[in-house]
Structure formats: structure tokens, C-alpha cells
Amino acid sequence: SALKLPGSFRLLSGMKAVFEQSDYISLNIPFINKSPEEGGTKGIIGEELLEYMKPDAVLLNFARGELVDSKALKAWMESPAGALAKYVTDFPEDELWDHDRAIVIPHLGASTEEAEDAAAAMAAETVMKFLATGEVVNSVNFPETILAAKDKATVRVGVVNKNTPNVLANVLAVFGDAGINILQQVNKSRGDIAY
């Protein structure tokens, strides 16, 4: 049975009802490395559910490749029951890699160990560059500021302040009163913060 929601939306009870009535099915479930009979999700999209799927439905899998029983999906897509169906995924499987109705796109894997290591390395390089040159890139809360290279005798000073009138003038007056010459000045702001 289906629960009526405003507009053209309906809440369906159970996966069989979803497969029977949906033109597009998007998998958004976690992978649990046990069979469905053991309380897991490995191969949860298999023969049993596929027999309820519309022959021209599109199955979208960007969750995990192991959720789909590739052999069962290939057999179903090659049968009259799934003759017009399509499978879109970013998990290439040998069974479906070159199937004419499987669309395989690159997997970005933002939460993989490799991606997290690369992000940590990039963050460290960004911080090191800021400390060495004062450059700000890829920051969420600071404006991008690219600075020209200076010789080693040059000292860079970064000032972070609320973006209000006269703050920079007061800072520059301190340098002027101390007899310090300013060779270059870059003033960038991002909302309420100036750098």
C-alpha cells in the first residue's frame, strides 16, 4: 500500500512495491557485508527484487557496487522482462562493464582512505604555503590572496580584522610611526573578514 503525500509523491511500503512502481530507482543504502538473509545488504538487488522491476526502469547505483548482484542484473537485462532497462553506476563490474545498457562513470570516492590522505596532504601544503609566503588558497573563510615572490630579507605581515573603516589605516600608521616602509600591500575581504 502507498501513503499519499502532497503533490505527486507517494511513500511506498517495501522494496518490492518500489521496484513495481518506479521508473527510476536510486540506491542509497549502506553496504553491510552479509547476505540479505543474514541481515546484510550484499547483493540485495538480486533475482527476487528484479522480477518486480519495470522492464524499462533505470537503476542508479552510486552507493556501493556490492549492493547489486551483477550476474542477476545482467541476466535480467538480457531477458524479455528487462529488455529496455538501464543500469547507471560508478562501480565498474566485469559482468556489466561493456553491456550496451549499462552506463559506467568514474567513481570519485571522496570518502576513501586514499582521498582522505590526499586531502590531508593538500591541507598541509596549503598551510605551509601560507606560513612561508602569506598566500591564501582553498580557504572556506578567507579570500583567495596570491602574493608575488619576495626575497628572503622581506618580512610579510598578515592582518586579519573585521571589515570596518579605518582598521587598516590604524595598522599602517603603526608601521609608519616605527619608520617601516611598506613595499607592497594587498587588501582582500570576504564578507565581514578582511585579510
Side-chain angles (χ1 to χ4, degrees):
S1 65
L3 174 67
K4 295 281 186 188
L5 297 173
S8 62
F9 295 97
R10 291 179 291 166
L11 183 61
L12 301 174
S13 61
M15 289 182 69
K16 290 178 183 175
V18 170
F19 274 68
E20 280 179 323
Q21 299 180 43
S22 299
D23 297 318
Y24 292 86
I25 301 165
S26 177
L27 301 181
N28 300 288
I29 56 176
F31 174 65
I32 300 168
N33 196 10
K34 295 178 185 174
S35 71
E37 296 78 30
E38 301 170 303
T41 57
K42 182 176 184 178
I44 195 165
I45 310 304
E47 288 179 31
E48 184 181 337
L49 278 176
L50 291 170
E51 69 182 58
Y52 291 94
M53 194 163 159
K54 290 181 171 185
D56 60 348
V58 178
L59 180 61
L60 305 160
N61 180 12
F62 304 112
R64 285 289 294 268
E66 296 92 337
L67 295 171
V68 176
D69 178 340
S70 297
K71 288 181 183 178
L73 180 59
K74 181 178 181 181
W76 180 78
M77 287 172 65
E78 292 177 349
S79 74
L84 301 172
K86 291 185 176 50
Y87 179 54
V88 182
T89 186
D90 59 351
F91 297 97
E93 295 273 338
D94 289 343
E95 289 290 328
L96 296 163
W97 177 257
D98 59 355
H99 195 282
D100 62 342
R101 283 180 282 117
I103 301 168
V104 180
I105 62 175
H107 177 69
L108 299 179
S111 295
T112 64
E113 188 174 321
E114 295 87 349
E116 289 175 0
D117 287 349
M122 184 180 82
E125 288 172 18
T126 300
V127 170
M128 287 172 45
K129 192 166 206 167
F130 170 75
L131 293 173
T133 68
E135 243 180 57
V136 178
V137 293
N138 302 323
S139 175
V140 174
N141 56 351
F142 278 77
E144 183 170 287
T145 307
I146 307 297
L147 303 169
K150 297 291 179 196
D151 63 52
K152 294 200 184 279
T154 302
V155 175
R156 293 191 191 263
V157 176
V159 178
V160 178
N161 61 279
K162 189 170 182 182
N163 194 14
T164 57
N166 295 323
V167 172
L168 189 55
N170 292 331
V171 171
L172 295 176
V174 171
F175 286 101
D177 292 345
I180 299 172
N181 186 34
I182 297 174
L183 298 173
Q184 179 187 37
Q185 175 183 318
V186 176
N187 183 21
K188 293 241 181 157
S189 64
R190 184 172 192 171
D192 290 338
I193 296 176
Y195 173 75

